[in-house]
Amino acid sequence: MTSTATTTLNYLLAPLDGSRPYTDINADTAKGKPVNNWLKDPHEMQIEDVRGKEELYKLDSAGFQYGREAAKHTSFLNDDEIEREYYPESIDLIKKVTGATKVVIFDHTVRRRRPGELGNSPQKRQPVPQAHVDQTPAASVARVHRHLSPTEAPAFLRRRFQIINLWRPISHAAVDWPLALCDFRSVDFEKDLTPVALIYPDREGETFGVKYNPNHKWKYLKGMTPEEFVLIKCSDSVQDGSVARLAAHTAFQDPNTPEGAPPRESIELRTLVFYD
């Protein structure tokens, strides 16, 4: 029997004046400068639990892919240890699942939900209850130039490359505020996605905000454990319609969460993935 959660997901409502949407990471709110110039657009959606049907969702069809392999590193308390211990085993895992020949991890985020606290510092990152994609195609190319040397980047950009996130719960199952993913087959790439400038003090990135479409098919794996993971495609250089290009995703409040469930803890790695 299919299990679904009915909940509110936050979509993006672009600025009414037609200006480019932005998120300013370091906006001085005390001086009246907004972090965002766009609005949240909440809609009630159904999210299907795909446990037992994980094989129906692959990176090249849905834009995401579930798997099971426990991490050897389990503490996730120290960034240096994460980079030294978790990065190498994650590179091996991504290569094994995708068939890629080169994987470059360019950052990671540990999220620990703390009710009542703001997630406004790297040490207090919270689950993000907003439908989004981490990179636009232009931002993905910029990432390759940023993280590979000037002598390497042009050759690797001639290959197929992707940006893939590796996400997994840590410490305990992600029953509280789980992660929902939108099947790419239900997304209108041209109409549903809006580039959003991500403004840092020293540079600018670009993400996709997601506009509401009642046809979206949202999925999750109920009660994901630390032994389970999901690969989330954020970008793909193959853009001829033959494969899924991305998977929008968001944290959501599952109304079926039992009282007293421990707050969600998770880690995501963001990676450049190259193929021969």
Side-chain angles (χ1 to χ4, degrees), residues 9 26 30 48 93 164 176 185 206 221 227 257 263-264:
L9 297 186
N26 292 97
E48 180 187 359
L93 175 60
I164 292 177
D176 170 80
R185 293 167 286 199
E206 192 175 60
L221 192 62
E227 291 73 42
T257 302
R264 192 246 272 184

Side-chain angles (χ1 to χ4, degrees), residues 80-122:
D80 290 337
E81 285 183 3
I82 290 171
E83 291 180 21
R84 188 170 63 249
E85 297 175 9
Y86 186 56
Y87 277 25
E89 63 173 305
S90 297
I91 289 172
D92 290 343
L93 175 60
I94 293 169
K95 285 182 175 180
K96 182 170 71 173
V97 174
T98 65
T101 51
K102 182 179 178 69
V103 175
V104 178
I105 299 172
F106 59 85
D107 72 12
H108 71 269
T109 300
V110 174
R111 300 187 191 277
R112 293 183 168 91
R113 192 172 79 82
R114 297 176 173 88
E117 287 192 18
L118 295 175
N120 56 358
S121 75

Side-chain angles (χ1 to χ4, degrees), residues 132-203:
H132 68 284
V133 182
D134 292 17
Q135 315 280 339
T136 62
S140 301
V141 172
R143 279 284 180 189
V144 175
H145 285 292
R146 186 166 179 227
H147 300 293
L148 296 186
S149 71
T151 54
E152 281 186 302
F156 278 103
L157 284 170
R158 287 193 289 271
R159 303 185 188 184
R160 183 185 186 186
F161 81 93
Q162 302 163 325
I163 290 187
I164 292 177
N165 292 0
L166 169 61
W167 187 97
R168 73 164 76 233
I170 56 179
S171 303
H172 49 263
V175 176
D176 170 80
W177 282 88
L179 184 72
L181 300 121
C182 192
D183 190 326
F184 183 76
R185 293 167 286 199
S186 68
V187 173
D188 186 322
F189 186 89
E190 300 301 329
K191 294 181 180 178
D192 295 351
L193 303 170
T194 299
V196 177
L198 197 57
I199 302 170
Y200 297 93
D202 59 336
R203 61 188 177 87

Side-chain angles (χ1 to χ4, degrees), residues 3-22:
S3 169
T4 61
T6 302
T7 190
T8 298
L9 297 186
N10 290 316
Y11 285 92
L12 175 141
L13 197 61
L16 298 178
D17 62 4
S19 59
R20 183 190 185 199
Y22 70 77

Side-chain angles (χ1 to χ4, degrees), residues 5-76:
T6 302
T7 190
T8 298
L9 297 186
N10 290 316
Y11 285 92
L12 175 141
L13 197 61
L16 298 178
D17 62 4
S19 59
R20 183 190 185 199
Y22 70 77
T23 295
D24 188 341
I25 301 298
N26 292 97
D28 191 344
T29 53
K31 293 183 179 178
K33 293 184 177 180
V35 174
N36 305 311
N37 69 338
W38 49 269
L39 298 174
K40 291 184 177 182
D41 184 24
H43 288 270
E44 188 174 273
M45 301 294 286
Q46 286 200 329
I47 306 173
E48 180 187 359
D49 174 18
V50 299
R51 188 167 290 283
K53 299 183 290 185
E54 296 96 322
E55 288 302 309
L56 298 177
Y57 304 93
K58 300 292 188 182
L59 282 167
D60 279 348
S61 58
F64 57 91
Q65 185 167 331
Y66 294 103
R68 173 180 285 272
E69 184 165 317
K72 297 181 183 70
H73 179 84
T74 56
S75 64
F76 299 103

